[in-house]
Amino acid sequence: MRPSRSRAALGALLIPLMLAGTAAVDARHSPAAALDNGLERTPVMGWNSWNRYQCGIDEALVRRQADAMVSTGMREAGYRYINVDDCWQSSRDSAGNIVADPVRFPSGMKALGDYIHARGLKFGVYSDRGTLTCAGRPGSQGHEYQDARSYASWGVDLLKYDNCNAQLDQQSQYQTMRDALAASGRQIVYSICAWEFKPWQPKTGNQARTTGDIGDEYTTNPGSGLLPVDRIIDINNDYAMYAHPGYFNDPDMLQVGNYGTGSTSGNGMTDTEYQTHFSMWALMAAPLIAGNDLTAMNAATRTILTNPEVIAVDQDPLGAQGRRVRDLGDQEVWSKKVQGSGVRVVALWNRAAAAAPVRVDWRDIGLGTGAATVRDLHARADRGTFSGGYTTTVPSHGVALLRVAGTETPDAVRITKTDPRTITGLRVRTEFLINDEWHDDFEDTGTLDHSTTLSLDGNGATWNGSRWVGDLLRTTGSTAGPAVVTVTRTDPRPIYGVRVSVTFTVGGQPHYDYEDLNLLSGTANLQLNANGGTWNGSQWVGDFLRIE
């Protein structure tokens, strides 16, 4: 695994809480359920003005983009939202109502919304929780309910809410706008743009930015000041467990097709890199918000943005975010569970500077080792039936996106011991989401020198104000044999956001680690080994629990 700073920081914050047991749950860093407003059951698809134009917008330009969304086949492919980012607003009137720039938007925002709606599309606008937006236009601080009523009267369908020029409590301000939108009389998708993930966001918005702003770069450019695609993918992967229908992680808008000519910085990407960008966003169940000029797309850009088989990965109704399941250095294997028994979408990502073969083993994606069919979603072609796994050559900075249909393995987590030393005091803890509500329990299994079976069931718990706690994880069997702990699913409902964490002792010293599994489907094989790690003054922390 290529660990990120965010994962390491989160682990360090949870360490003392894990040792204290279930009662000590830190709400600041505990996963939350989704905002229950009935919206965004699959990720939003649309267009936004910022990446290409920043403040260089007016109503004529926005109308041209709406027309192009229809004429280019984007609407037919699933894109619906035309989102006007910063710089549409200019002032407030004597009653405090937000006013559109009279030079750039002389017809007003309602007329623009009507134009967009008449084309079978939806209308999004931008504001900021502070006194001013990031571009220095009036923000919504102190005017949240007033602005929400204005948006509703204009027919707004989505609000992107930014994080500039604000001094008040961030969480409270975002929650105030959430409540204002709910009271507006219109259903409006709420897109939080706070530049990093916070655990309160899934209960507050329908989607939330997990990173800083994206540049038009595949990999790091020190002069850009914005984040490249490869770094954003790494960061967004840390929060896969939080995504499910009603809430999705937002790794920022797409740069596909800008080729370094947009208003945001960056030298542009190759078509292969843009295809990787789009494919990984789809695998991660991210909002697909185009940021290019829709009126001037070349054939490669249009092909990438409208590939129906890749879009179907993003829009899969299970709403699971794909995650990294195998790190081979410069080559990685990512997997996403989609609808259908034994079906996965797999990304074979080559981060190296030269083409390289990349292999996925069925065991890594929770499938049986027998025969499975493989379809190439970029080529939209079947590749055949293969036993055990599949290998293909992937170009530099490219990704092979595959649909694999095989035999589903039992929904379980299997932890095997690969450390020859004696492991004692093993505590296994599970945190997971069912029906948008968080569940939490642990089980002490003692010395890891035998086979133990645990059952996972979300029924029969007590609500403590933020999550269900009780005997949700229990020992159902213990026998002599291999050193292995198996957590089996006995609850038939979809289980999202699974985090498995362990505390244990080796040589008299405590150790801690966790692994996020997102949607529980198929058998996840984990290894427990206490080698490596860092002593933090009270225990060893590190990558002790890892995907096998």
Side-chain angles (χ1 to χ4, degrees):
M1 178 178 290
R2 185 178 280 102
S4 73
R5 289 191 297 271
S6 52
R7 183 184 192 274
L10 180 58
L13 286 162
L14 286 174
I15 287 164
L17 303 170
M18 295 298 305
L19 293 174
T22 304
V25 175
D26 186 344
R28 295 171 303 163
H29 302 285
S30 300
L35 173 64
D36 186 18
N37 63 1
L39 298 173
E40 199 160 350
R41 307 310 293 175
T42 59
V44 161
M45 296 176 61
W47 174 87
N48 180 284
S49 56
W50 187 257
N51 282 354
R52 181 72 183 188
Y53 300 105
Q54 292 194 354
C55 281
I57 56 171
D58 56 33
E59 65 181 40
L61 182 149
V62 175
R63 289 180 177 185
R64 289 196 299 272
Q65 298 300 320
D67 291 339
M69 184 171 280
V70 177
S71 64
T72 60
M74 294 277 284
R75 183 186 67 181
E76 184 179 355
Y79 294 85
R80 288 291 184 274
Y81 289 82
I82 295 289
N83 300 327
V84 184
D85 210 285
D86 205 350
C87 303
W88 62 265
Q89 60 280 76
S90 63
S91 61
R92 292 191 180 275
D93 65 17
S94 59
N97 296 307
I98 191 71
V99 175
D101 187 316
V103 175
R104 294 172 181 262
F105 295 87
S107 301
M109 299 305 277
K110 185 180 186 307
L112 181 59
D114 290 345
Y115 187 93
I116 291 168
H117 289 145
R119 280 141 187 81
L121 303 172
K122 296 187 176 184
F123 178 34
V125 297
Y126 164 101
S127 190
D128 188 285
R129 73 180 181 95
T131 54
L132 297 172
T133 70
C134 295
R137 306 302 176 98
S140 289
Q141 181 176 312
H143 297 272
E144 291 88 353
Y145 282 83
Q146 189 175 23
D147 287 354
R149 289 192 295 271
S150 293
Y151 304 151
S153 71
W154 300 337
V156 166
D157 302 295
L158 180 148
L159 173 66
K160 175 184 173 183
Y161 206 47
D162 218 334
N163 190 43
C164 287
N165 300 304
Q167 292 79 42
L168 303 181
D169 179 71
Q170 184 187 68
Q171 179 176 352
S172 297
Q173 283 195 287
Y174 276 107
Q175 290 172 339
T176 297
M177 181 54 86
R178 172 200 63 191
D179 296 341
L181 294 175
S184 71
R186 183 175 179 83
Q187 285 198 308
I188 299 175
V189 170
Y190 189 23
S191 176
I192 294 173
C193 183
W195 317 329
E196 62 178 336
F197 179 83
K198 298 290 181 64
W200 49 262
Q201 292 169 346
K203 268 293 191 184
T204 306
N206 296 113
Q207 61 186 52
R209 280 274 295 280
T210 55
T211 73
D213 286 1
I214 187 172
D216 192 3
E217 303 274 6
Y218 171 80
T219 196
T220 301
N221 173 9
S224 168
L226 301 178
L227 287 174
V229 163
D230 60 356
R231 177 62 183 141
I232 286 177
I233 293 169
D234 286 338
I235 296 171
N236 200 58
N237 183 56
D238 287 342
Y239 310 108
M241 65 181 297
Y242 297 86
H244 61 294
Y247 171 81
F248 296 98
N249 294 312
D250 178 10
D252 206 2
M253 300 166 292
L254 297 165
Q255 291 280 11
V256 177
N258 278 328
Y259 297 103
T261 62
S263 293
T264 54
S265 62
N267 294 323
M269 297 179 242
T270 66
D271 289 333
T272 295
E273 291 166 344
Y274 280 136
Q275 185 178 69
T276 296
H277 173 18
F278 187 73
S279 299
M280 294 302 286
W281 261 234
L283 188 88
M284 295 188 299
L288 298 180
I289 307 296
N292 58 309
D293 180 0
L294 302 184
T295 70
M297 288 191 288
N298 64 19
T301 297
R302 184 172 174 179
T303 296
I304 292 169
L305 291 176
T306 61
N307 184 320
E309 298 192 28
V310 179
I311 289 171
V313 175
D314 182 76
Q315 296 292 296
D316 182 78
L318 276 183
Q321 179 174 324
R323 62 186 180 89
R324 184 190 294 117
V325 298
R326 178 71 70 183
D327 189 339
L328 304 170
D330 284 336
Q331 288 77 44
E332 297 179 359
V333 179
W334 291 61
S335 176
K336 171 179 173 144
K337 166 66 176 172
V338 295
Q339 273 198 328
S341 178
V343 182
R344 304 288 188 274
V345 173
V346 174
L348 304 180
W349 185 17
N350 180 18
R351 303 174 75 136
V358 188
R359 176 177 175 83
V360 55
D361 290 312
W362 302 157
R363 195 168 182 268
D364 290 342
I365 58 176
L367 298 181
T369 58
T373 61
V374 176
R375 181 170 175 82
D376 184 327
L377 301 187
H378 292 152
R380 300 169 67 180
D382 294 330
R383 296 306 186 201
T385 301
F386 303 86
S387 293
Y390 177 77
T391 304
T392 190
T393 298
V394 182
S396 169
H397 297 177
V399 65
L401 195 66
L402 312 170
R403 185 181 187 274
V404 179
T407 302
E408 195 75 71
T409 53
D411 295 344
V413 180
R414 189 170 181 269
I415 303 172
T416 58
K417 176 177 180 286
T418 59
D419 194 315
R421 297 169 294 175
T422 300
I423 292 178
T424 61
L426 178 63
R427 170 174 289 181
V428 178
R429 181 182 180 185
T430 54
E431 303 168 84
F432 54 98
L433 280 168
I434 295 177
N435 292 340
D436 289 345
E437 292 178 336
W438 202 245
H439 296 65
D440 182 9
D441 193 21
F442 67 91
E443 192 78 358
D444 291 322
T445 63
T447 300
L448 185 53
D449 59 1
H450 57 284
S451 295
T452 303
T453 302
L454 309 179
S455 67
L456 184 66
D457 194 307
N459 291 298
T462 301
W463 183 253
N464 71 355
S466 62
R467 56 175 54 200
W468 291 95
V469 295
D471 196 14
L472 312 178
L473 185 70
R474 65 186 69 179
T475 301
T476 56
S478 181
T479 62
V484 58
V485 176
T486 302
V487 181
T488 62
R489 173 234 265 296
T490 57
D491 193 314
R493 298 171 292 179
I495 297 178
Y496 289 86
V498 179
R499 170 175 290 165
V500 177
S501 49
V502 291
T503 54
F504 57 97
T505 299
V506 175
Q509 295 179 325
H511 294 65
Y512 163 75
D513 194 22
Y514 70 93
E515 193 72 37
D516 290 339
L517 302 176
N518 198 8
L519 182 68
L520 181 59
S521 91
T523 300
N525 294 288
L526 307 180
Q527 291 179 342
L528 184 63
N529 193 307
N531 288 300
T534 303
W535 182 255
N536 71 354
S538 62
Q539 66 179 338
W540 290 92
V541 294
D543 194 17
F544 306 137
L545 186 69
R546 65 187 71 180
I547 298 168
E548 185 177 322

